[in-house]
Amino acid sequence: MAMIECRQLSKTYRKGASIIKPLDSLDLDVEQGSFLALMGPSGSGKTTLLNLIAGIDQPTSGSLTIAGQNIAALSRSKLASWRAKHVGYVFQLYNLVPVLTAYENVELPMLLHPLSRKQRHERVGTALSLVGLADRHDHYPRQLSGGQEQRVAIARAIVTDPQIIVADEPTGDLDKPSAHAVMSLLVRLNQELGKTLIMVTHDAATAEHAGLTLHLDKGQLVEQSVTAAFSGETATTHADEGGDA
Amino acid sequence: MRRLPFDYAARNLGRSPLRLSISVVGSVLVVVLAISAYAFVRGMDRSLVGSGSPNNVILLGAGSEESIERSEISTSVASQVQATIPGLKSQAGQAYVSPEVHAALAVSIEKDAEPIGQAVFRGVTPAAFSVHPQVRMIEGRTPQTGADELLVGQLASARLGLSGDRLAVGQQLWIDDRPFTIVGRFAAPNTVMNAEVWVPLTSIQTLTRREGISCVVLTLGDAEFADVDLFVKSRVDLELAAIMETEYYDQLSAFYQPVKMMVWITALLIGAGGLLGGLNTMYAAFASRIREVGTLQSLGYSRRAIVISFLQESLLAAATGAVLGSLISLALLDGISIRFSMGAFGLLVDAPTIGFGIAIGLLLGVIGSIPPALRCLRLPIAEALKAN
Ligand SMILES: Nc1ncnc2c1ncn2[C@@H]1O[C@H](COP(=O)(O)OP(=O)(O)OP(=O)(O)O)[C@@H](O)[C@H]1O
Ligand SMILES: [Mg+2]
């Protein structure tokens, strides 16, 4: 069974008479431990799909099964605790809490878990070391560079040890060297820690880091490409079977 | 449910020093306002309620039950009561029966000068000190029967708008072009008497050219109210009415209900204005954090956890304001005297008043933060993450 299974997944917005379908009957399987890049034109539904998988949005119809659980059926509060356990989200604009230090930002998701202060301390330390910011515990976001902020955000996404990491254009706001540092970090999360990683990007070179790239257009999967460096298929699409015209 | 760290709430306050000061100052104003209003109402109530002794009965003219000042009865009532009703309280052969004249008289501070105002005068005999145990001499001596001498209550100067020195022992006041010398001062805390001027009964009778008296105040010993009432009913010729002193002042307190309502309504209106202003700053503050709130939710924090954190933040500012407001109230309001037709009373700033003010301040913190917090959480997370 795949880690993530989308079946006939749709998201619809109704505004008066017009209907917008950011996601249209999408079928997708993502295997555990795979690194998937999502590409596509602006407005094609990438963020929408990512949000559904991260459990911060709910589909209008269809099912979304993650690690055997249909999260489309969860109540809002159940979904909140599900998120705390199963996903880490990395945003384009980092979204660190400005009044908290790097340490406290990383600690934030851990406060939702029954851990002692000492356990938390160890894990925050490990996460910040992993992203190379062990010496920045007490710095506030405004005292960090964009690249460093994004690395703190990655530490925050992994500190609770979720199985899935989603990232929405994580290098979109960074200069080349910082983007490179962030990407190699994400690759390590996937390869060394075995995290299932789904990343939205506009940049083909960035997508190269992923094992598989899916292209979205108008809420549907249109194309997939397996990166040469990777062997074996880690995600399959059912777009051709499920396509209703 | 897991909570956000308290530090988050506390540090959020520091995000905008301007907003923090507006919140705190707003809270201070509301708390001072609430304390003033409550101190006024309680001070007024206390002075009226404290004026009556539970064992005292007032005999006054039938039909004048609402106002002693309008009552007129025969001077002989006092001796008749003493002779007829058995079981009244007495000490050393002296019965607790006090014939009194109550009158508001214009007072001048110099001969031939325009009066500076009216004070409530009480013409008394030595028995007045027995039936009104709240009255305590604090300076000087009691006036001599028939002499043009005065005793002034602690708040009499406040009632007349004079400095305390002007009513010191030895000073003179002019009433109807007759000089009266102040020979003593008394305290009757939390009663209307505290703002009165006491004169020998016969002096005030001469002064006001009246034969009779306003009322007789007596203290029940073994006798009961029914005994006094029986006397009143059997002596129809005297045209008397009997009323418990406490009941008389309760009535008076009810009479001032509209004044108290006005005070509350004024406080409420100003407070509501303050609340709207406070809501506005809170809306602005929370609205600027919509994306952050979306992020917290994406991490797994519940909406309730976020509302509680915002509530803590608001309460922290409100509590700071409430403490400051209480200290300011204690410093500024305590001891202030308010004049009113019955004399004067002191604002009552005590633990319940302060507690009330703090409660109002905190309540404002709650009311002022919940709607903005809910509004901030109205957007679905996916949309909140796109904010700014
Ligand atoms: N709350 C909403 N109400 C109405 N339409 C929405 C809403 N959210 C998204 N959409 C629409 O859904 C479509 C897909 O949006 P989405 O954010 O998923 O695009 P995207 O592929 O991430 O684009 P980009 O590359 O610009 O980030 C867009 O047409 C957008 O206008
Ligand atoms: Mg997007």
Side-chain angles (χ1 to χ4, degrees):
Chain A
M1 197 196 221
M3 178 75 176
I4 302 169
E5 292 184 356
C6 308
R7 291 289 174 271
Q8 292 293 297
L9 199 61
S10 294
K11 181 76 187 175
T12 316
Y13 292 107
R14 233 173 276 272
K15 212 166 231 155
S18 68
I19 292 174
I20 304 165
K21 274 205 162 182
L23 275 190
D24 193 358
S25 311
L26 185 116
D27 287 321
L28 172 67
D29 282 359
V30 181
E31 297 300 329
Q32 178 162 8
S34 57
F35 184 173
L36 177 68
L38 283 175
M39 293 191 75
S42 182
S44 57
K46 304 179 297 291
T47 299
T48 305
L49 177 58
L50 211 62
N51 286 346
L52 289 177
I53 292 172
I56 66 177
D57 201 356
Q58 293 199 288
T60 313
S61 65
S63 74
L64 173 54
T65 309
I66 298 182
Q69 189 170 20
N70 181 11
I71 66 163
L74 292 179
S75 69
R76 186 156 67 187
S77 65
K78 288 251 167 58
L79 200 54
S81 19
W82 181 87
R83 283 197 294 274
K85 282 198 195 71
H86 295 92
V87 253
Y89 204 130
V90 179
F91 304 92
Q92 177 175 358
L93 296 175
Y94 336 125
N95 287 2
L96 296 181
V97 177
V99 293
L100 301 181
T101 61
Y103 181 93
E104 290 162 336
N105 264 287
V106 176
E107 191 185 28
L108 209 47
M110 295 242 293
L111 297 172
L112 292 162
H113 296 263
L115 295 170
S116 69
R117 175 187 272 277
K118 188 162 166 286
Q119 285 170 312
R120 286 204 306 269
H121 186 73
E122 278 167 15
R123 288 175 68 166
V124 174
T126 309
L128 279 171
S129 302
L130 188 80
V131 300
L133 292 172
D135 54 342
R136 297 296 191 135
H137 282 205
D138 295 330
H139 285 65
Y140 285 91
R142 67 185 133 80
Q143 300 168 317
L144 300 171
S145 72
Q148 289 167 335
E149 277 196 75
Q150 191 60 302
R151 276 144 65 197
V152 173
I154 291 172
R156 179 178 67 182
I158 60 170
V159 73
T160 57
D161 202 21
Q163 297 145 289
I164 303 168
I165 309 275
V166 299
D168 197 352
E169 303 185 39
T171 58
D173 227 46
L174 296 177
D175 60 18
K176 269 229 164 72
S178 304
H180 185 77
V182 163
M183 280 320 298
S184 45
L185 200 52
L186 290 177
V187 168
R188 273 181 67 200
L189 296 185
N190 172 242
Q191 293 185 349
E192 292 173 23
L193 303 178
K195 303 289 178 204
T196 306
L197 199 64
I198 305 175
M199 174 183 73
V200 168
T201 180
H202 274 121
D203 179 36
T206 304
E208 290 283 296
H209 291 95
L212 182 71
T213 301
L214 296 180
H215 293 264
L216 271 174
D217 195 14
K218 298 196 179 76
Q220 296 186 316
L221 288 171
V222 290
E223 186 193 333
Q224 59 167 309
S225 49
V226 183
T227 309
F230 292 81
S231 55
E233 212 181 14
T234 49
T236 47
T237 118
H238 300 258
D240 19 18
E241 313 157 19
D244 57 329
Chain B
M1 186 203 59
R2 302 273 168 172
R3 302 247 172 103
L4 280 156
F6 185 71
D7 264 4
Y8 173 65
R11 285 187 218 162
N12 269 333
L13 275 178
R15 277 167 105 145
S16 162
L18 178 65
R19 182 180 72 81
L20 177 60
S21 10
I22 292 175
S23 307
V24 172
V25 169
S27 171
V28 166
L29 289 178
V30 166
V31 169
V32 170
L33 192 72
I35 290 179
S36 311
Y38 199 41
F40 178 93
V41 168
R42 273 168 48 85
M44 182 181 236
D45 278 344
R46 182 179 63 170
S47 80
L48 292 174
V49 169
S51 298
S53 298
N55 282 323
N56 281 4
V57 178
I58 306 177
L59 286 174
L60 30 59
S64 304
E65 288 91 337
E66 294 93 53
S67 169
I68 295 178
E69 282 177 48
R70 258 187 277 130
S71 157
E72 179 90 51
I73 60 176
S74 159
T75 310
S76 69
V77 171
S79 50
Q80 303 202 31
V81 161
Q82 214 167 321
T84 320
I85 308 176
L88 295 180
K89 191 170 174 186
S90 70
Q91 198 170 31
Q94 180 68 45
Y96 280 42
V97 176
S98 165
E100 299 178 2
V101 168
H102 294 216
L105 300 177
V107 175
S108 304
I109 47 173
E110 281 168 56
K111 186 174 167 59
D112 296 330
E114 282 293 303
I116 50 152
Q118 286 201 327
V120 177
F121 281 74
R122 191 182 290 232
V124 294
T125 63
F129 293 92
S130 304
V131 299
H132 301 295
Q134 306 99 314
V135 175
R136 189 168 45 80
M137 291 295 296
I138 49 176
E139 202 186 337
R141 57 172 176 82
T142 52
Q144 270 161 3
T145 311
D148 283 353
E149 292 179 341
L150 300 176
L151 272 184
V152 292
Q154 263 180 323
L155 291 183
S157 51
R159 176 71 191 89
L160 285 167
L162 293 172
S163 75
D165 291 352
R166 187 55 192 79
L167 294 191
V169 172
Q171 296 276 15
Q172 281 193 325
L173 288 179
W174 296 74
I175 306 152
D176 219 4
D177 283 336
R178 259 171 74 176
F180 282 75
T181 307
I182 298 169
V183 296
R185 299 200 316 129
F186 65 87
N190 313 327
T191 71
V192 293
M193 293 176 278
N194 213 16
E196 289 180 350
V197 178
W198 283 18
V199 225
L201 184 66
T202 48
S203 304
I204 202 170
Q205 280 178 317
T206 324
L207 194 65
T208 58
R209 292 168 203 93
R210 68 164 98 190
E211 308 260 285
I213 54 179
S214 308
C215 65
V216 169
V217 182
L218 53 86
T219 304
L220 298 171
D222 302 327
E224 288 179 10
F225 180 75
D227 300 325
V228 181
D229 206 37
L230 190 68
F231 168 79
V232 165
K233 296 217 166 83
S234 60
R235 294 297 307 272
V236 190
D237 57 308
L238 293 173
E239 294 179 47
L240 294 176
I243 183 169
M244 293 299 297
E245 197 178 35
T246 48
E247 199 181 317
Y248 176 80
Y249 286 106
D250 281 351
Q251 271 179 18
L252 215 54
S253 179
F255 175 77
Y256 284 104
Q257 200 60 37
V259 176
K260 291 184 245 169
M261 285 303 293
M262 277 308 296
V263 168
W264 279 129
I265 289 170
T266 310
L268 200 74
L269 287 179
I270 304 177
L275 179 64
L276 287 181
L279 272 175
N280 225 357
T281 58
M282 283 301 188
Y283 274 122
F286 293 170
S288 68
R289 287 186 220 155
I290 289 183
R291 187 151 59 95
E292 184 171 318
V293 158
T295 306
L296 292 174
Q297 291 186 88
S298 77
L299 294 179
Y301 282 98
S302 65
R303 296 154 71 89
R304 189 132 56 101
I306 292 164
V307 171
I308 288 176
S309 179
F310 282 8
L311 192 61
Q312 287 174 338
E313 177 182 341
S314 172
L315 278 176
L316 210 54
T320 309
V323 169
L324 286 176
S326 304
L327 293 177
I328 291 173
S329 301
L330 276 173
L332 294 185
L333 300 180
D334 204 21
I336 286 188
S337 312
I338 305 288
R339 296 197 225 180
F340 77 131
S341 57
M342 279 306 297
F345 61 89
L347 290 183
L348 178 51
V349 186
D350 61 354
T353 321
I354 295 286
F356 173 77
I358 289 179
I360 291 291
L362 296 184
L363 185 70
L364 215 71
V366 174
I367 303 176
S369 64
I370 300 255
L374 291 180
R375 190 191 162 115
C376 177
L377 281 163
R378 203 186 41 180
L379 285 183
I381 308 172
E383 280 179 52
L385 287 170
K386 283 189 220 160
N388 301 350

